[in-house]
Amino acid sequence: MGTCTCRTIVHDDLTSLIEVLDLPEQVNWVVEFHRLVPNYFILQSVVSPAITSKWQIIVQLWIQGNPFRITAIRSIASAGTAALLPSLQHPTLDRPFHIPEAKERRNAIIWQSKERGLQYQKDATVLSVEKPQTAKYLGFGEQGGKALFKDKTYMNYFNFDNMRYYNLYDEGPENDSAPLYHAESYWIEVIGNRYEDNYFVRDKRDLDPSAPEAKQQRYLQYGKGTRYFKDPNEGGLQDHVPRDVYNFEANFNSGWPFHGGVDYGGPKGASGFYPSLNSKEMRIWWGEQYKYLFDTGLEFVWQDMTSLCMAQEYGNMKSRPFRLLMDSDGWPRDPIAKQQKKVIEIWSLYSYNLHKATFKGLYKLDARKGKRNFIIGRGSFAGAQRYAGLWTGDNSSTWEFFNISVAQVLALGLAGVSMAGADVGGFEPAEGEEKYAHPELLIRWYCAYSLLSWLRNHYSEKENIKKFQEPYTYEKYYQENRQMIKEDERYFWESIMPVCRYHIRLRYSLLQLLYDAMFKNMIDGLPIARAMVISDPLDPSLTNGILAVKYLVRNGLLVAPALLPKEKRYRRKLYLPHPDSWWPMNLRLDSLGVHLE
């Protein structure tokens, strides 16, 4: 099995399988049963290293007779109030059933049924459970904020902002409520009579009774925390070349193809129409359009701006009008499957169907027979991992953006999207700063991302927005401008090449580990880079602060990136999940491409 991607062991029964798996770990597991007083049964899972005779209690189940209740107990790094542990009310009897408490840990109830919580009928049995006092209801998603989980946070699902994250709240990327940049589909050249074939989104709307006429329409927008409205009757892209001269009032709710446009500032941008990708027929046609591109040598697809980003003249929140009607793509046997819904109700479905149409189209092409298809998208809907990976959108070269980027990738992994990543180093320079990422920031970004699923340095060089960002260009710039660089910062400039080279080589040396994690992701859905909470969902400390952005590659390699600059990073506190054993490793690389043993 040594050369196979899948390390599989098969046994006829679970007991023998456990024995085989425990053997290389040198542990013995047993389950003990005790009944010392009339009202309690105790089941406890006990482990002992094979080389010693010292047994250790790991988990206990206390089963109370009257009133009936089941309570599970184990040692965790618990903070705050915890429920009172059960007791046999007898010191001599309690002692053998005490779980040893390691440093900074305490015994706590991790699960408990309600008293008399077992209810049953002829065809159903229900066990009601308590909400633990240490429990937290958490949300996660591709939002701003440096925490992995969003507790008591308004989860705004509009992917709206870009590069700065200040349009809605004007607080920057570390605001948990800041929504990310949204996007739109490719423009395509229309060949044939597609208008009449209903291949394009039509301008039909669910009219607001208080403002049913075209001249009453106003589109909601935000800019630097300020809400304002745009009047679409003033016309389209006035400064663009060619100028957009469409008549909004004539087109409004007419049933003709919906007219929109994208704005890149100044004369850059274009107006046009949008394929109705929520229609299966349209998705089939869309997939066929890739034939020419792949016949001529294209190898992968990057779908930028996928959720219909528009200039503010054409819709709400710089996207589609909220009340525009679109196909809802329902289940075929649903009697209302063909019923159209307002865009606001199915906001992210459009980008999801773009990825779906592309994926299925590529697999039907003769040029792709026997090949894997690599598709990267931007913004989508639940289940998108079946069709594409995800790039988190344009960002800036700031410590704030770096700080949130690891949490974004881990959160997307929890949502099922394992192939995900941000622009390493930042797409644009920090506002008002030099036209390159600070070398310490780029070093830390490479360190943190070297074992995530997708590592890619990406920046904007057009119009001299950024001068450079490849590690070797820093070395060249430093050699040519050494006297201009502050003495206390020269260390970072001198370190950037060897540190970044080491982490890239480390990634390639551990490629088999990453590949195994990807294969396992296809089997059980567990992320390639796993948030620590996956290793122990009952340990609440793993959701707190900086601990939340450490991650595991598969289940054996722990990465704890430093997310702060040197002047703010006085010491690191590293928490290792209990009861596993952990070893520090100095991963020295002897030659490029040689797998580490």
Side-chain angles (χ1 to χ4, degrees):
M1 302 296 290
T3 59
C4 296
T5 300
C6 176
R7 277 72 166 170
T8 303
I9 300 173
V10 179
H11 272 256
D12 291 336
D13 58 82
L14 184 60
T15 301
S16 61
L17 178 60
I18 291 173
E19 291 174 354
V20 170
L21 294 175
D22 284 349
L23 185 61
E25 301 291 336
Q26 291 190 314
V27 295
N28 290 329
W29 281 91
V30 297
V31 176
E32 297 180 345
F33 173 78
H34 299 277
R35 184 180 185 184
L36 300 179
V37 292
N39 202 39
Y40 274 109
F41 298 96
I42 299 176
L43 292 170
Q44 55 188 25
S45 185
V46 182
V47 65
S48 170
I51 58 175
T52 73
S53 59
K54 183 180 179 182
W55 294 88
Q56 181 182 1
I57 303 170
I58 303 299
V59 180
Q60 289 178 330
L61 282 182
W62 291 60
I63 304 174
Q64 179 178 304
N66 187 22
F68 177 76
R69 165 174 271 186
I70 304 174
T71 302
I73 304 168
R74 53 162 270 208
S75 175
I76 62 174
S78 177
T81 306
L84 185 66
L85 297 177
S87 170
L88 296 174
Q89 306 298 325
H90 193 296
T92 304
L93 294 178
D94 272 346
R95 197 173 298 117
F97 304 105
H98 178 72
I99 301 176
E101 294 184 357
K103 186 179 179 181
E104 298 184 359
R105 302 185 68 83
R106 61 188 294 190
N107 294 334
I109 293 175
I110 58 173
W111 182 91
Q112 189 174 47
S113 69
K114 291 183 178 293
E115 287 191 356
R116 299 182 177 87
L118 190 62
Q119 305 171 44
Y120 52 90
Q121 296 177 347
K122 183 178 179 180
D123 56 354
T125 302
V126 177
L127 180 63
S128 302
V129 300
E130 299 279 6
K131 172 184 176 294
Q133 294 188 31
T134 55
K136 298 172 69 177
Y137 289 106
L138 304 168
F140 54 86
E142 191 194 357
Q143 297 278 124
K146 58 186 178 182
L148 174 62
F149 295 105
K150 315 302 181 186
D151 191 16
K152 298 180 181 177
T153 296
Y154 176 66
M155 296 290 287
N156 188 323
Y157 78 102
F158 291 105
N159 289 346
F160 173 72
D161 220 331
N162 188 22
M163 303 177 198
R164 308 293 181 208
Y165 288 19
Y166 58 24
N167 274 340
L168 274 182
Y169 307 107
D170 197 20
E171 294 181 7
E174 291 190 344
N175 180 342
D176 282 353
S177 298
L180 306 192
Y181 183 39
H182 70 147
E184 76 175 10
S185 62
Y186 289 106
W187 298 103
I188 59 174
E189 181 180 357
V190 180
I191 302 175
N193 196 16
R194 296 306 183 188
Y195 289 159
E196 284 71 20
D197 290 343
N198 287 320
Y199 273 28
F200 281 76
V201 176
R202 300 279 174 164
D203 196 326
K204 291 296 293 182
R205 313 194 184 205
D206 179 65
L207 297 177
D208 183 350
S210 65
E213 299 179 13
K215 62 183 180 182
Q216 297 172 303
Q217 303 306 303
R218 300 294 184 270
Y219 291 144
L220 172 67
Q221 312 294 344
Y222 276 86
K224 286 204 169 185
T226 301
R227 186 177 69 166
Y228 64 96
F229 293 88
K230 184 68 177 177
D231 184 354
N233 292 279
E234 294 175 354
L237 301 169
Q238 302 299 315
D239 298 328
H240 286 215
V241 180
R243 180 171 172 265
D244 186 15
V245 293
Y246 95 109
N247 186 319
F248 172 75
E249 186 172 5
N251 211 63
F252 176 74
N253 202 34
S254 64
W256 285 97
F258 170 75
H259 185 103
V262 61
D263 180 16
Y264 289 106
K268 295 173 292 185
S271 59
F273 308 99
Y274 299 85
S276 182
L277 292 170
N278 290 354
S279 160
K280 182 177 180 180
E281 292 77 14
M282 179 58 190
R283 290 196 297 273
I284 293 171
W285 177 80
W286 179 272
E288 294 169 351
Q289 307 312 304
Y290 288 100
K291 183 179 185 307
Y292 172 77
L293 295 172
F294 279 85
D295 284 347
T296 54
L298 188 69
E299 281 298 317
F300 89 105
V301 177
W302 185 302
Q303 293 181 320
D304 191 0
M305 307 179 69
T306 56
S307 60
L308 291 181
C309 163
M310 297 184 187
Q312 60 186 352
E313 290 85 355
Y314 300 110
N316 297 103
M317 300 288 281
K318 297 181 181 177
S319 186
R320 294 158 288 176
F322 289 162
R323 288 179 170 270
L324 183 68
L325 294 173
M326 294 188 70
D327 294 335
S328 57
D329 195 25
W331 183 50
R333 296 183 184 179
D334 188 338
I336 60 171
K338 294 187 176 181
Q339 186 180 85
Q340 290 191 317
K341 293 186 177 181
K342 297 187 289 293
V343 160
I344 192 71
E345 298 179 87
I346 51 174
W347 190 265
S348 298
L349 185 60
Y350 189 90
S351 55
Y352 171 86
N353 276 326
L354 170 62
H355 301 144
K356 182 178 181 179
T358 303
F359 178 87
K360 293 197 171 186
L362 296 188
Y363 268 92
K364 293 178 181 179
L365 299 180
D366 291 337
R368 303 305 298 166
K369 297 297 184 184
K371 295 183 179 180
R372 297 175 180 174
N373 294 309
F374 186 52
I375 303 167
I376 290 295
R378 182 176 183 172
S380 198
F381 193 67
Q385 71 274 4
R386 291 177 289 177
Y387 308 120
L390 186 65
W391 156 58
T392 61
D394 297 340
N395 55 6
S396 296
S397 298
T398 69
W399 287 94
E400 291 79 14
F401 268 102
F402 168 53
N403 208 329
I404 73 169
S405 70
V406 176
Q408 285 176 337
V409 174
L410 298 182
L412 286 166
L414 291 175
V417 184
S418 257
M419 182 60 70
D423 290 344
V424 169
F427 182 70
E428 287 205 340
E431 200 166 17
E433 298 292 329
E434 293 283 353
K435 293 187 175 183
Y436 52 79
H438 191 281
E440 183 188 8
L441 175 62
L442 189 66
I443 286 172
R444 287 301 172 191
W445 223 315
Y446 268 83
C447 293
Y449 266 60
S450 59
L451 291 174
L452 289 178
S453 56
W454 194 23
L455 170 66
R456 183 199 59 141
N457 184 328
H458 184 219
Y459 68 100
S460 176
E461 194 179 20
K462 64 183 181 182
E463 299 177 353
N464 200 30
I465 292 175
K466 264 190 173 181
K467 294 180 179 179
F468 53 83
Q469 193 155 282
E470 300 84 355
Y472 68 85
T473 59
Y474 282 80
E475 187 174 62
K476 182 174 183 292
Y477 183 86
Y478 176 66
Q479 292 171 352
E480 296 174 352
N481 300 277
R482 189 174 187 276
Q483 299 305 318
M484 299 170 55
I485 295 172
K486 297 178 182 178
E487 190 168 345
D488 61 348
E489 292 197 351
R490 290 177 184 176
Y491 168 77
F492 298 119
W493 288 85
E494 293 167 355
S495 301
I496 195 165
M497 267 296 286
V499 174
C500 291
R501 179 189 290 120
Y502 168 82
H503 281 87
I504 292 172
R505 294 179 66 186
L506 174 65
R507 179 180 180 85
Y508 277 87
S509 296
L510 292 171
L511 202 58
Q512 185 64 49
L513 176 65
L514 290 169
Y515 202 86
D516 286 354
M518 292 179 185
F519 181 83
K520 188 164 176 53
N521 171 255
M522 294 293 294
I523 303 301
D524 60 17
L526 283 174
I528 298 163
R530 302 176 186 177
M532 293 295 292
V533 71
I534 293 179
S535 71
D536 193 350
L538 299 173
D539 190 340
S541 65
L542 297 178
T543 67
N544 294 333
I546 198 68
L547 293 176
V549 293
K550 293 191 305 181
Y551 62 90
L552 289 164
V553 183
R554 204 170 177 189
N555 60 355
L557 184 61
L558 173 62
V559 182
L563 301 178
L564 297 173
K566 186 177 180 181
E567 68 267 14
K568 295 182 180 180
R569 193 176 63 253
Y570 304 108
R571 62 190 306 182
R572 292 293 309 280
K573 184 177 180 180
L574 203 60
Y575 173 69
L576 302 176
H578 181 81
D580 299 323
S581 298
W582 296 88
W583 294 271
M585 298 178 67
N586 183 5
L587 298 175
R588 292 186 293 269
L589 308 176
D590 297 323
S591 60
L592 181 63
V594 176
H595 293 173
L596 293 173
E597 298 295 333

